[in-house]
Amino acid sequence: MEFMSFKMIFIIALSLMGSVVNSKETSDYKLPTNFKPVSYELYVVTHLEDKFMFEGVVSICMTCVEATDTIVLHSNILNIDTKSVVVANCGENVVPVSSVSFDPEKEFMLVKSTVNFKPGDEYVLTIPFTGNLTEGLTGYYRSSYVEKENNQTKWLAVTQFEPAYARGAFPCFDEPAYKAKFKIRLGHKKELNSISNMKLMKQINCPSIPDYVVDEFEESVPMSTYLVAYMVSDFVYTEANCGNDQVKFRIISRKESANQTELAISLGPKVLKYYEDYFDEKFPLHKQDMAAIPDFSFGAMENWGLVTYREIYLLIDLNVANMYNKHQVAVVITHELAHQWFGNLVTMKWWTDLWLNEGFATYVGARGVDFLFPEWNSFRVVTVDDFISIMDLDSLESSHPVSVAVGNPDEIAQIFDTISYTKGSFLLHMMNTFLGEDTFKQGIRNYIHKHKFSNAEQDDLWSSLTEEAHCQGTLDKNLTVKKIMDTWTLQTGYPVLKVVRDYSVGTVTLSQERYLTIKSNGTDNKTCWWIPITMITSGNFNQTNAKSWLNCENNNLTTPLAKDTEWVIYNLNMTDLYRVLYDTQNMKAIICTLNDPTKYETIPLLNRVQLIYDSLSFSKVGDMDYEITFQLLKYLKHETEFTPWFAAFEGLSAINDLMKKTPKYAVFQNYMRRMLSCVYSKFRNMNDKVNGYENIKFQTYVISNACNNQIKDCIQQALDLFRKWMKINDPDNNNILPIELRRIIYCKATKYGGEDEWNFLLERYQYSILPDDKDDMLYALGCSSNKLLLQRSLNWSLDNSIIRKQDAFKIFYSVAMNDAGYSIAKEFLYCRIADIYEFYQPEGNRLGDYVKVIGSQMNTKEELEEIQSFINKYSSYLKEADMVINQTIETIESNIEWMSTFYDKIVNCMEQS
């Protein structure tokens, strides 16, 4: 499943975080192991437009593993006639059922017999059921769109079963370890069509309902219930013309969007072949469908053979799409198709190892984009973005390990977050580096070959990688991947490597401790990591592999270093997940080199990135003087690469958020205008076309920051261009704004323009059928300075007849981050929390996002008391998001500490810089 975050320009945030529970709680909510399903026969009839419900029957063939008189499986919010539940043995003799009962809290269905079931015997459990097609975006739900041609509402039904929603569509063993084969039949009206995981075998007239047909699909490969998928709609198919005769590849969309499938239909077959080669394992199905869904909670879902996407992440008009949109679609497609091996073919045993699915799909997906578009050099940008994303969140005490225990079904969905996806991905990048590409790739292949069509856990991965590393000689025989990597996946947080040189005797001493945003009372001696040590010096620019380790057994390492070495830099090319804190003299030598326009490039690009971001972070917690950090930032005036600027923008944005409600905010903006003056001159003209992925990102970041810091030329250009567009005939089909800068221009026009600009953009939003353009426009509607318009936008966010439920938080985020909208958004949350909670059911954890965006901008004791009072008052609504709530409180405490300690100091530094 694709989790999307707020990094880069802006992409929908679904920060689903929740409780970390202990193993006892986990076992309490897991099914007993008495039965193992072998196969399902599932028949579902879908009624759209009139009833919005479904009816069906499931027959589950299962093996008894342990003697018992009760079958326990999952069922939730289904209507089941308990008298019609039947159990038969393989000889078709009916086994008497004494009772059928339900445990709503655990979502269990219990079928009790008058006799014991025998170990080794097979039984068939048959259950008829009915359910409602809700608009909740989980289980088997309904979605709709308005056909432009005749202004008619069209309905469809589609599944979203990950992580634990299959039980709301049919009774089943709804845990990833219970893999089984599925034979699916779907009944629906004749004028509609249906798709599922496997190929359609035949269609017959429905014997019991006139004007209905039944589609029968071939039996699936063994798979977990969360990967089962089916859909009923009037959508059309666009088929790829590719050389792989064994796999039919189709894009499925509403008819009016079929012309937006060109990129997806081109990329899909190529990346599928790339993964077949990379994993050395053929794709095991005969077809691969990818469907664009109008209402979809996540970014996408990797159902085997039928990947479902939010429209914006699959459909794109290449004539008007910007580079960001193209990259976004490529990233999501490669992520989901990587899941066909990591997640689908080999599945984690339990959600504790979700990162094996999501971390791998994220990492290999980024490599897939690099394969498809090597000219973009996107892997480097993604690496920097990932590093920064992890460092901020994982520096909180309230973060969680990569491998995290979960129990209650509500909690499973809440760990689909930056830690599982991004940190998991970066750790794989780190392993690839210290093991080497050949060892890493072959170890992954061995893991897949060994566990395909089955389940695994992280120790199985460690075992395969260790065996291959020892075979190839890339890891010492006395060392295992488990010993190294357990320190990274089973512990919360990451280390800071402290570098202290003794210049008199020519040595350097390395030590480590956990990096925390808020310092603990004493040094945390309980956590330590196996850190691969790589370095360069001012006299040696050659790359070095990890020849030594700093670890728990040797956590204070002193080695020789030539006295005449000007500086030393660790974590070469930022391949490992730790910060580096240097002694002052070494840092000043680095800064001296950086500020020399003829020498700064002798420090590798990604190390320049880390030096910038680490310095800003260390200064924020008092480990480095801000004077040193601002001396380092001066070198940017001759930096020509995007990624160091990106690190600076990201680090300085945290200061922006802290200062923007203070009397000295103008000092910060003046500093930013001075810092931007040179680089802004390079990108000043918004009509100039910039080529290349990184240069385009460079342009958008510079112009966005220039406008945000009120460089008048920037704001005036945005207004002039937008108003010129307003005067164009047929503006919907003749958008004259520069493609790469439209999001920025939309936002600044509504902010610094008036109601006319806002209404004009609203009309364009309502007319457009381009998902990416609608996304940009919706965000911009929250940029207005008109409080009545902002209030109207927030009210609309809870009316999915105007704004789709999937986009509701997007408008709230935009308003909340707007200087004019913050207090309005906060009041909206405080007053309408019950409505927001109800709106998102059954995904109550989404409320955490609302609290987070409001709390992240608080920096006084009074505000902390205010939000704590709010949280206490409405704790019943927020219990499903307690982790993100805890992280928000910790962030506010950190903000308060910073304001007390560094506010005056940074004002002085900025005034003097």
Side-chain angles (χ1 to χ4, degrees), residues 58-84:
V58 63
S59 293
I60 309 172
C61 177
M62 55 198 174
T63 302
C64 181
V65 178
E66 301 171 1
T68 180
D69 63 355
T70 305
I71 303 169
V72 184
L73 68 164
H74 288 108
S75 179
N76 186 36
I77 64 172
L78 292 169
N79 302 310
I80 295 172
D81 180 1
T82 57
K83 295 179 181 178
S84 300

Side-chain angles (χ1 to χ4, degrees), residues 773-787:
D773 213 30
K774 286 180 75 73
D775 188 70
D776 291 343
M777 292 176 181
L778 182 63
Y779 175 76
L781 292 174
C783 294
S784 175
S785 299
N786 185 314
K787 295 188 176 184

